[in-house]
Amino acid sequence: MSVRTAPLLITVTLFCLTVANRPKAELRADDRDIPVGGSVTLTCSVKPSSSGWKYFWYRGEKTSEPLTSQLSAGPIRVSEGGVYWCRGGRGEPVYYTEFSDPVTIYKIIPNKAVVTLHPNWTEVHRGERITLRCEITDGGDTEWEYEWRTTSSEKPPDQNEHSITSVTRSHSGDYRCKGRKKHTQHSSTGWSDPIKLTVSHKLLRVFTVSPSWLSAGASVTLNCSVDDPSAGWMFYWYKMVPDPSDIYYSYEQLPGSSSGTEQDSYIVHGQSHMAGYLCGAQRGDPVFSTYYSGIKYAWSADFNSSASLTVSPDRAQHFTSDSVSLSCEGNSTEWRVKRFSTEDRNSSDCSTWGTMTGSTCNIKTDSTSDAVYWCESGSGESTNAVNITVQDGDMILLSPARPVTEGHSVSLSCRFRSQTSDSIVFFYHNEKVIQSDSRWELNISAVSKSDEGFYKCRHSGRESAQSWMSVQAVSRPDSSSFPVLLVVGLVCGIVLFIPLIVLFCYRASKYSCFVRPVKSESANTDHVDHENDLYILLHGDVCLYDTIRGHQEAEKAQ
């Protein structure tokens, strides 16, 4: 008999145990600075994350005993400064993770850090020298260590003072600092408020000269301003001086500005001829650089008896292809014709834009231009200036290039390249319409100073360029001399009148002094009287003498 046995079923459960390297704890702080009277939160974690961990906290060295009171399964809050570590542990016996990286916590003290900028400019310019300082309020004699934060690409070293000898755009940004007590390592001020440093690539200078066209003896006001209104700017004022031996100019400082002026304006009194000016602006100690303006001119259209410039034809505007010549006249054999235009930005000689023959320059009018022309002699003397415009349009204004003498008549007219039909023509004086009818001429019978200014004309929607008409005043006696003339006249009148009064008095006294017995036998009475008249006029004491003599003769007769 056979016996069957049931099969034996054996179940084997296999466990896969993965042994990883010892994990490392990670420590995070919600803030590194403990505010006054406050605390910060520290969080310790183990990655990869798993359950059952508790955390051990340390302050100071890793070898120190853990802060037993702070054993926790979550974040803790601390109110003391120091270097903090943590690690995780679980099981029995306890299995520990690696220590976390340290986190330094600072306890904020009441002292306040302040960043200052020296010089205290809101904006600095490339190349200037500045100093950033971290100052601790009520710091006393405590020794401090410093730390900086900045949004610029140039972080200052951890010192209280940082000097930049030549700033660049890379230094632009916000700067903050804080201080730590040197012997109490974990006590710190809070971060200072930020100070913003802006480094400008270029300083914008605005230089103006007013008026741009002079009346004889007028004052000229120079204004030099910068786009940075910070204090500390000093302004320097210069006048161009022609160099007879060179085509370039030298510059001399105007009186009273050798040490600079805090005022951004300067007045030149009694300017009688054209001149070029420029200004300079600088600041800082020591001064790193000076920023110069461009050249501006004060033009004079008044003629000088020793040197003058004439234009042929005598008008301020010309068409392209017109023949225009400029002639220098005066007591010199060496002349050069100069030009200044906004396109050139600098003055240039006739050889650049024309042909010089002797003392005459023929302008090339194949292209448009708007420029001021003048002559300079070999000795550096300047003539009057004329503003000449060369137009490639259809219409120009015919106006005199030379000044018009006050009281004289003048005629301005519009001219087209080709004939045009009659219609309304508008004439403007300083942008105001002064005539609008079918006349193509503007006639002024007696020019006055009020007629000086810019003129232009418009016709059928087309407009000429504007030209300056200068009016030369007729010299008159200075009104201030009138009181002097009046006094002199009175004195002269009194001096002439006194002898007449004296003569009148003595003629009257003759009849009172010479009352003598009339002798009938005297046949020469008239002759004697005439002699007495002459003697009285010449000798003022004759009355007294005759009175005494007459008295003595009477006594003898008795």
Side-chain angles (χ1 to χ4, degrees):
M1 172 177 180
S2 60
V3 179
R4 291 185 176 184
T5 59
L8 180 63
L9 181 62
I10 300 175
T11 302
V12 178
T13 302
L14 299 178
F15 291 93
C16 184
L17 178 62
T18 302
V19 179
N21 293 329
R22 185 183 295 270
K24 183 178 180 178
E26 181 181 351
L27 176 59
R28 299 188 308 275
D30 64 347
D31 198 336
R32 299 295 182 96
D33 298 321
I34 302 171
V36 176
S39 61
V40 298
T41 299
L42 302 179
T43 302
C44 191
S45 61
V46 176
K47 290 185 179 179
S49 178
S50 58
S51 60
W53 295 104
K54 289 189 177 181
Y55 300 100
F56 299 82
W57 302 90
Y58 303 83
R59 186 176 68 226
E61 299 296 330
K62 289 187 289 186
T63 56
S64 61
E65 290 296 319
L67 303 174
T68 54
S69 62
Q70 298 289 354
L71 183 64
S72 69
I76 64 169
R77 297 190 65 83
V78 295
S79 56
E80 293 295 328
V83 179
Y84 286 84
W85 315 72
C86 77
R87 65 175 176 172
R90 67 181 179 182
E92 186 63 42
V94 178
Y95 172 81
Y96 292 102
T97 66
E98 296 282 352
F99 281 94
S100 69
D101 291 329
V103 172
T104 302
I105 303 297
Y106 295 96
K107 186 172 184 177
I108 301 303
I109 55 179
N111 303 77
K112 183 176 178 61
V114 178
V115 178
T116 57
L117 177 64
H118 302 272
N120 186 22
W121 299 329
T122 57
E123 185 175 6
V124 297
H125 303 279
R126 189 180 63 178
E128 290 186 314
R129 177 189 177 94
I130 62 164
T131 299
L132 291 162
R133 293 196 185 114
C134 185
E135 300 176 352
I136 310 298
T137 59
D138 300 325
D141 298 329
T142 304
E143 294 186 12
W144 298 88
E145 292 178 342
Y146 299 88
E147 184 179 350
W148 290 87
R149 279 184 184 173
T150 180
T151 58
S152 76
S153 58
E154 304 287 339
K155 185 179 183 300
D158 291 337
Q159 299 173 354
N160 75 310
E161 186 172 291
H162 176 50
S163 294
I164 306 173
T165 56
S166 181
V167 295
T168 64
R169 295 290 289 273
S170 63
H171 292 103
S172 294
D174 294 334
Y175 289 81
R176 306 171 72 188
C177 75
K178 70 177 180 179
R180 294 188 298 271
K181 290 184 177 180
K182 206 166 190 177
H183 301 295
T184 310
Q185 285 292 320
H186 305 114
S187 294
S188 168
T189 67
W191 286 103
S192 68
D193 293 331
I195 187 171
K196 188 176 185 63
L197 177 63
T198 302
V199 180
S200 175
H201 178 69
K202 186 178 181 181
L203 178 68
L204 177 63
R205 299 166 300 281
V206 178
F207 180 50
T208 60
V209 173
S210 179
S212 57
W213 285 90
L214 294 171
S215 300
S219 295
V220 179
T221 301
L222 313 180
N223 283 285
C224 192
S225 59
V226 294
D227 58 353
D228 176 12
S230 302
W233 289 105
M234 297 294 288
F235 298 94
Y236 298 80
W237 311 93
Y238 302 87
K239 180 180 179 180
M240 292 173 53
V241 179
D243 185 352
S245 63
D246 201 343
I247 63 172
Y248 299 105
Y249 293 87
S250 59
Y251 301 92
E252 65 179 22
Q253 280 193 308
L254 293 172
S257 69
S258 58
S259 300
T261 64
E262 293 183 1
Q263 293 76 25
D264 60 359
S265 63
Y266 184 97
I267 298 177
V268 182
H269 296 283
Q271 183 70 39
S272 58
H273 57 276
M274 64 149 288
Y277 300 95
L278 75 157
C279 73
Q282 67 179 30
R283 64 179 181 178
D285 187 16
V287 174
F288 180 79
S289 62
T290 303
Y291 304 93
Y292 292 101
S293 70
I295 300 167
K296 293 285 186 178
Y297 289 88
W299 310 108
S300 174
D302 291 341
F303 279 90
N304 187 318
S305 58
S306 62
S308 63
L309 170 65
T310 58
V311 184
S312 180
D314 183 17
R315 62 176 190 254
Q317 295 185 22
H318 305 266
F319 290 118
T320 51
S321 74
D322 282 352
S323 177
V324 183
S325 63
L326 307 172
S327 298
C328 305
E329 301 172 357
N331 301 324
S332 178
T333 57
E334 297 181 7
W335 290 103
R336 55 185 180 186
V337 180
K338 307 283 289 184
R339 179 178 89 168
F340 178 84
S341 68
T342 53
E343 293 82 6
D344 298 337
R345 300 191 67 182
N346 287 300
S347 61
S348 55
D349 284 349
C350 173
S351 58
T352 306
W353 35 264
T355 304
M356 193 78 184
T357 304
S359 60
T360 299
C361 174
N362 296 302
I363 301 175
K364 296 176 183 177
T365 57
D366 53 353
S367 61
T368 61
S369 64
D370 183 5
V372 178
Y373 298 81
W374 70 96
C375 298
E376 284 181 3
S377 68
S379 60
E381 185 178 13
S382 297
T383 67
N384 57 295
V386 294
N387 193 173
I388 295 178
T389 303
V390 178
Q391 296 290 322
D392 61 357
D394 295 329
M395 182 172 63
I396 60 174
L397 173 72
L398 301 186
S399 62
R402 302 171 62 169
V404 181
T405 304
E406 193 174 17
H408 288 198
S409 63
V410 67
S411 178
L412 286 72
S413 61
C414 264
R415 173 179 292 184
F416 278 82
R417 285 185 185 268
S418 57
Q419 189 65 29
T420 184
S421 59
D422 292 338
S423 61
I424 300 299
V425 180
F426 297 87
F427 284 90
Y428 294 81
H429 177 221
N430 293 332
E431 299 296 337
K432 293 182 179 179
V433 177
I434 57 174
Q435 180 176 298
S436 58
D437 53 34
S438 59
R439 290 177 295 171
W440 286 75
E441 287 188 351
L442 171 66
N443 296 306
I444 305 175
S445 57
V447 174
S448 65
K449 260 300 184 181
S450 62
D451 295 314
E452 189 172 69
F454 286 101
Y455 287 84
K456 66 180 180 180
C457 62
R458 184 168 60 86
H459 174 269
S460 299
R462 288 172 290 186
E463 192 174 273
S464 73
Q466 64 177 6
S467 288
W468 174 269
M469 188 180 77
S470 179
V471 177
Q472 191 164 11
V474 177
S475 59
R476 297 183 178 88
D478 188 358
S479 60
S480 62
S481 64
F482 178 74
V484 177
L485 295 176
L486 179 62
V487 172
V488 171
L490 289 173
V491 171
C492 292
I494 292 171
V495 169
L496 293 174
F497 191 63
I498 287 176
L500 296 177
I501 296 176
V502 172
L503 176 61
F504 176 79
C505 290
Y506 278 112
R507 284 182 62 88
S509 64
K510 178 185 69 172
Y511 297 103
S512 60
C513 295
F514 287 89
V515 181
R516 299 174 183 171
V518 178
K519 298 180 180 180
S520 59
E521 63 269 23
S522 176
N524 300 321
T525 303
D526 292 340
H527 176 70
V528 172
D529 286 344
H530 289 307
E531 287 181 349
N532 287 338
D533 285 348
L534 179 63
Y535 193 84
I536 290 170
L537 184 61
L538 297 178
H539 303 281
D541 59 347
V542 65
C543 277
L544 178 62
Y545 175 75
D546 279 357
T547 301
I548 296 173
R549 187 179 61 179
H551 179 71
Q552 291 176 345
E553 289 178 350
E555 287 180 347
K556 287 181 180 180
Q558 292 176 356

